[in-house]
Amino acid sequence: AQRVTQPEKLLSVFKGAPVELKCNYSYSGSPELFWYVQYSRQRLQLLLRHISRESIKGFTADLNKGETSFHLKKPFAQEEDSAMYYCALGGPGAYSGAGSYQLTFGKGTKLSVIP
Amino acid sequence: GAVVSQHPSRVICKSGTSVKIECRSLDFQATTMFWYRQFPKQSLMLMATSNEGSKATYEQGVEKDKFLINHASLTLSTLTVTSAHPEDSSFYICSAPTGWGNTIYFGEGSWLTVV
């Protein structure tokens, strides 16, 4: 069964400090992993996906299959980074379109950046 | 970019009545849409997959007769909560993939309060 674990409900860091939001997953096949962000009073939006190996708003995430992790990192936190962050796991074809695009979400981590 | 819109954003209904929530893809066609439910401080839970032109696929434990889904066109899916109970009060979110290999976009969500 697919499962996504985000162990921290709340993470508070000072502005300028490094940020790491943890995400571990359980999946028997080849995972497709995503990070979604939800700013206050806004809809959920895609932050980044592992297959793109991109950096968005200074955030990066590396898929570690050995540790079944997909932690989200940013070297220097900004106040505007304060939001809810959800790690999500897609089944086969979730990214390529061959599958059903179903996502399993973690419970989310609320990041609070202290000025 | 692609936009998914939900309506209404907030609705209050009396116990025993039915309430309909719409999910529209505004600038793309979506043969598939997903309906999620999010209880306070919990993660998004997939309820069902809405398929244009065919029956919705419900996740285990979700009552299909209570949560009626109709994918009327390539841009509209509706979720009707029938005979609503207070425990149905939740945040309902829809999402839609834009197509082959593309991003999944989320609606802004609909708060349902059953009194």
Side-chain angles (χ1 to χ4, degrees), chain A residues 38-55:
Chain A
Q38 189 173 29
Y39 299 104
S40 179
R41 300 181 185 278
Q42 294 186 29
R43 71 186 69 203
L44 208 63
Q45 56 186 289
L46 180 67
L47 180 62
L48 54 80
R49 44 201 167 196
H50 91 271
I51 200 167
S52 300
R53 293 185 164 272
E54 55 202 346
S55 174

Side-chain angles (χ1 to χ4, degrees), chain A residues 36 38 43-44 46 49 86 94-98 100-103 105-107, chain B residues 4 34 36 38 43-44 46 49 59 97 99-104 106-108:
Chain A
Y36 281 83
Q38 189 173 29
R43 71 186 69 203
L44 208 63
L46 180 67
R49 44 201 167 196
Y86 294 93
Y95 185 78
S96 68
S100 63
Y101 293 101
Q102 289 187 359
L103 296 175
F105 285 86
K107 291 188 175 182
Chain B
V4 174
F34 299 96
Y36 293 84
Q38 185 179 29
S43 186
L44 288 78
L46 180 66
T49 302
E59 295 301 301
W100 188 267
N102 282 318
T103 304
I104 301 168
F106 285 80
E108 58 269 66

Side-chain angles (χ1 to χ4, degrees), chain A residues 8-109:
Chain A
E8 304 140 327
K9 286 186 179 180
L10 173 65
L11 180 64
S12 296
V13 301
F14 285 100
K15 178 182 175 182
V19 174
E20 182 178 52
L21 300 169
K22 291 183 168 53
C23 172
N24 288 90
Y25 66 90
S26 174
Y27 185 65
S28 57
S30 294
E32 301 191 14
L33 286 147
F34 309 82
W35 275 99
Y36 281 83
V37 60
Q38 189 173 29
Y39 299 104
S40 179
R41 300 181 185 278
Q42 294 186 29
R43 71 186 69 203
L44 208 63
Q45 56 186 289
L46 180 67
L47 180 62
L48 54 80
R49 44 201 167 196
H50 91 271
I51 200 167
S52 300
R53 293 185 164 272
E54 55 202 346
S55 174
I56 304 296
K57 298 184 180 182
F59 285 97
T60 59
D62 292 318
L63 178 61
N64 186 324
K65 291 186 178 181
E67 296 181 358
T68 61
S69 68
F70 187 57
H71 303 327
L72 183 68
K73 300 178 182 179
K74 184 171 183 176
F76 307 104
Q78 302 298 316
E79 289 181 64
E80 55 266 29
D81 297 330
S82 295
M84 279 293 294
Y85 291 82
Y86 294 93
C87 182
L89 170 68
Y95 185 78
S96 68
S100 63
Y101 293 101
Q102 289 187 359
L103 296 175
T104 299
F105 285 86
K107 291 188 175 182
T109 299

